[in-house]
Amino acid sequence: MELTVTALQEKLEQQGYICDSELATTVFLALKLEKPLLVEGAPGVGKTEIAKVLSRAFGLKLIRLQCYEGLDENKALYEWNYQRQLLKIQILKDREGADFIEKDLFSEDYLLERPLLKAIRAEQRPVLLIDECDKVDEPFEAFLFEILSDFQVSVPELGTLQARNIPIVVLTSNGEREISDGLKRRCIYLYINYPSVEKEVRILRTKVPEAGEQLSLQVARAVGFIRSNLELIKQPSISETIDWARALVTLSIDSLNEKVLEQTISVLLKNNDDIRNLQKTGLGNIINAARGAGEKTGGSCHCNH
């Protein structure tokens, strides 16, 4: 069956990923045009989850490259199995044919595939997740150009290896460093913001159905109010909203009040200064918002009173 935007959106939602038509359209275009998808947004808004959900939705293997400062080509692409090479040298060192030995030592028998090479050589089309690509340095980012534009890699001893199947590539960035124009040019760009109250209720109803409609709505309103009205060091992510709802269900709580908020807020906020900031705001303001009295969550009240 021909994949459409609507069908893709339904596939994603069947896997528990609630998305609007704009997001589904962007992902759809990346799939149809066979271009990498670069996803930016604050931590915890569901960037990495897109790759996981695509893997599940299409029954494809997920190959993940977790980026970090200092990541080099060897860790990302391939390494030679030095122990096997040394063993081979020990076995054959007294025999003739040194040239043959040297050539043999750099054959595929001694090649250790790392995530990028695994994705290029996969027998079946995989989903390649290059997670938090803003953490690598610029030379490594430039190294990705060949893979993301031509889906091939160069191994000096083996030559150029073309992808057997063009992988679905998802890159994520938390915006810690500006991604280069060269990398962006090779990708379809998607920015994910924090969800609206309505969307977060749908997420909670999918992930924590036992929370019920009322508690899910109160949790989503409270989190929306916090994100919009408090200047926090670390805004609560969607996963932390889900954790909070699950914690409330575990405590058999079906409605928010100030005491419940105070007792459970550490599940939602993971910084003591943020918790103190919230307490200064007045727990009553958040509870009023949760109960619908403060639905205007986009105000400019960054209150510390």
Side-chain angles (χ1 to χ4, degrees), residues 193-232:
N193 211 335
Y194 288 115
S196 64
V197 169
E198 293 74 17
K199 183 177 178 180
E200 199 148 31
V201 168
R202 291 184 63 201
I203 293 170
L204 289 173
R205 298 294 291 135
T206 300
K207 299 292 186 183
V208 198
E210 59 273 29
E213 186 70 33
Q214 175 182 287
L215 183 61
S216 296
L217 180 59
Q218 289 187 356
V219 167
R221 282 172 170 167
V223 174
F225 179 89
I226 290 169
R227 287 182 186 139
S228 299
N229 294 277
L230 274 68
E231 290 183 346
L232 301 179

Side-chain angles (χ1 to χ4, degrees), residues 20-62:
D20 51 36
S21 60
E22 288 79 8
L23 188 150
T25 300
T26 305
V27 176
F28 171 81
L29 290 174
L31 295 178
K32 298 297 284 187
L33 299 177
E34 295 188 327
K35 291 179 72 74
L37 177 68
L38 172 60
V39 190
E40 286 194 319
V45 293
K47 303 185 297 297
T48 301
E49 192 64 17
I50 288 181
K52 296 179 179 178
V53 168
L54 286 172
S55 170
R56 294 198 301 269
F58 292 102
L60 303 177
K61 182 179 180 181
L62 176 67

Side-chain angles (χ1 to χ4, degrees), residues 2 11 19 32 34 54-55 63 69 97 125 142 162 179 183 186 216 264 267 270 275 282 293 295 298 301:
E2 183 71 17
K11 270 182 171 290
C19 61
K32 298 297 284 187
E34 295 188 327
L54 286 172
S55 170
I63 299 175
E69 187 177 356
R125 188 185 195 191
Q162 193 76 34
I179 301 298
L183 186 60
R186 289 164 170 79
S216 296
T264 60
V267 180
K270 307 297 174 57
I275 292 174
E295 290 188 350
C301 178

Side-chain angles (χ1 to χ4, degrees), residues 85-212:
Q85 288 176 324
L86 287 172
L87 182 60
K88 185 68 175 286
I89 292 171
Q90 287 293 324
I91 293 172
L92 300 177
K93 67 178 181 180
D94 296 329
R95 301 182 185 179
E96 296 181 352
D99 292 341
F100 169 76
I101 294 172
E102 183 177 351
K103 182 179 178 182
D104 184 54
L105 287 175
F106 291 97
S107 67
E108 293 193 18
D109 292 340
Y110 299 90
L111 192 64
L112 296 176
E113 294 180 343
R114 298 311 181 202
L116 296 181
L117 190 57
K118 282 183 181 177
I120 290 293
R121 290 158 58 92
E123 295 288 347
Q124 185 185 16
R125 188 185 195 191
V127 176
L128 171 61
L129 168 62
I130 303 178
D131 208 12
E132 300 184 343
C133 64
D134 52 325
K135 290 186 176 177
V136 300
D137 52 28
E138 293 181 2
F140 185 85
E141 191 178 301
F143 159 73
L144 292 174
F145 289 178
E146 182 183 17
I147 296 174
L148 299 182
S149 58
D150 299 327
F151 295 102
Q152 66 180 29
V153 295
S154 299
V155 179
E157 297 84 355
L158 301 177
T160 300
L161 303 176
Q162 193 76 34
R164 291 171 174 161
N165 299 284
I166 294 178
I168 297 173
V169 183
V170 178
L171 301 97
T172 72
S173 167
N174 291 327
E176 291 185 9
R177 179 176 65 80
E178 183 68 22
I179 301 298
S180 71
D181 290 341
L183 186 60
K184 286 183 176 179
R185 195 163 53 246
R186 289 164 170 79
C187 301
I188 299 290
Y189 181 77
L190 172 66
Y191 186 85
I192 302 180
N193 211 335
Y194 288 115
S196 64
V197 169
E198 293 74 17
K199 183 177 178 180
E200 199 148 31
V201 168
R202 291 184 63 201
I203 293 170
L204 289 173
R205 298 294 291 135
T206 300
K207 299 292 186 183
V208 198
E210 59 273 29

Side-chain angles (χ1 to χ4, degrees), residues 218-227 229-230 232 244 256-258 261-262 265 268-269 274-275 277-295 297 303:
Q218 289 187 356
V219 167
R221 282 172 170 167
V223 174
F225 179 89
I226 290 169
R227 287 182 186 139
N229 294 277
L230 274 68
L232 301 179
W244 190 30
L256 290 179
N257 57 47
E258 291 187 36
L261 178 60
E262 188 166 24
I265 197 59
L268 189 66
L269 302 181
D274 286 345
I275 292 174
N277 188 357
L278 181 141
Q279 290 168 335
K280 289 178 181 176
T281 299
L283 302 182
N285 292 333
I286 299 171
I287 295 302
N288 286 337
R291 292 174 177 171
E295 290 188 350
T297 57
C303 38

